[in-house]
Amino acid sequence: MATAARSTKYRRQSDTDLSRMEIMEGAALCFEARGYSATSLDEVAARISSTKGRIYHHYASKAELFLDVYRTGMMMNFEAVKPILELDMPAIDRLKAVLKAHVLCVIRTKAFQNVVGQGVDMLRHGTMPANEHAELRQLAGLRDAYSEHFRKVLEDAMADGEIEYNNIKIALNSVFMCINGPIVWFTPRKGQDEKEIEAVADECVLYAIRLLGYMGKMP
């Protein structure tokens, strides 16, 4: 995903062919770079070589656009781990696989995941109007549902004696700190190939699983 001040990914769009996803991609990059408060719809429009009026064709406000980016970021996470949750495999292998799938999703959709993080902070500090704040609470429920998938995998691995923890909430929070880390510190390099990205994901999984006391072999 492009990170330059003006992306070359987008050609000038008409009202009919400017898609919501293109708007969200540009908005996610702007929100990631400047934060919600400092980002204007004019900046988003410039990012995607369009006009603010064309964005208003899809979104009534900056807040509505931000919330759609947040929601889409969460759905990207669900889609990344869902196929693994449906596989018949040992609990420890499932744990490794869902952790890696999450990290890869974070890396590949980093700007969207940054917006999710901003939304969490905005809910905590109450920095949105009442209507939007209520939707942030609903999105927090989506995050809780996503976390429940990981809770179940951790509990299964614990039952198999593969990992150990005393408090599942602390264990989950610690694991998510590791696998969400790339949101903060990962910056894609020009020419970086998939093998290098896989290596970054494997390292994040290694640290996360070691926190849970697993000392077995990694893939």
Side-chain angles (χ1 to χ4, degrees):
M1 191 176 290
T3 57
R6 291 193 178 181
S7 170
T8 58
K9 178 178 179 179
Y10 304 99
R11 59 185 172 82
R12 186 161 294 281
Q13 302 287 326
S14 69
D15 286 337
T16 56
D17 67 10
L18 182 63
S19 73
R20 291 174 73 94
M21 180 55 74
E22 287 172 324
I23 296 171
M24 283 192 289
E25 287 176 347
L29 289 168
C30 290
F31 290 135
E32 180 183 38
R34 294 175 54 78
Y36 175 78
S37 297
T39 296
S40 69
L41 289 183
D42 287 315
E43 290 172 308
V44 176
R47 171 79 70 167
I48 61 176
S49 299
S50 184
T51 65
K52 186 165 64 174
R54 286 171 178 154
I55 294 175
Y56 278 127
H57 179 75
H58 295 274
Y59 295 99
S61 66
K62 181 176 74 169
E64 183 179 311
L65 174 54
F66 179 89
L67 291 167
D68 205 15
V69 173
Y70 182 152
R71 185 181 303 104
T72 300
M74 284 305 309
M75 296 314 299
M76 289 170 170
N77 288 334
F78 276 104
E79 290 168 8
V81 304
K82 182 180 178 181
I84 299 165
L85 297 172
E86 296 173 348
L87 294 176
D88 182 15
M89 60 198 308
I92 190 62
D93 293 335
R94 187 188 309 280
L95 175 58
K96 295 173 188 176
V98 295
L99 292 178
K100 183 170 181 178
H102 179 87
V103 177
L104 288 173
C105 183
V106 163
I107 290 173
R108 292 166 178 160
T109 65
K110 180 173 173 282
F112 282 82
Q113 305 309 324
N114 188 286
V115 169
V116 171
Q118 289 183 42
V120 172
D121 288 339
M122 291 164 74
L123 177 62
R124 183 180 300 119
H125 299 296
T127 54
M128 266 194 165
N131 288 343
E132 287 80 8
H133 193 78
E135 189 160 355
L136 278 177
R137 285 198 300 272
Q138 292 179 357
L139 290 171
L142 195 62
R143 290 181 65 251
D144 290 342
Y146 183 69
S147 180
E148 279 301 307
H149 289 315
F150 288 77
R151 174 190 290 269
K152 179 64 166 61
V153 176
L154 260 67
E155 288 175 343
D156 289 346
M158 175 82 159
D160 285 351
E162 296 284 1
I163 62 172
E164 183 178 0
Y165 54 81
N166 294 321
N167 184 303
I168 184 64
K169 185 174 181 179
I170 294 174
L172 274 172
N173 286 337
S174 299
V175 166
F176 273 113
M177 284 179 65
C178 279
I179 62 177
N180 283 333
I183 297 173
V184 177
W185 51 256
F186 179 80
T187 303
R189 300 191 311 274
K190 184 177 181 180
Q192 191 169 34
D193 61 21
E194 188 64 21
K195 185 176 180 181
E196 291 178 291
I197 291 174
E198 290 266 350
V200 172
D202 287 336
E203 193 77 0
C204 291
V205 172
L206 173 64
Y207 288 121
I209 209 165
R210 292 290 189 252
L211 283 174
L212 300 169
Y214 178 76
M215 298 305 293
K217 292 183 178 181
M218 296 294 291

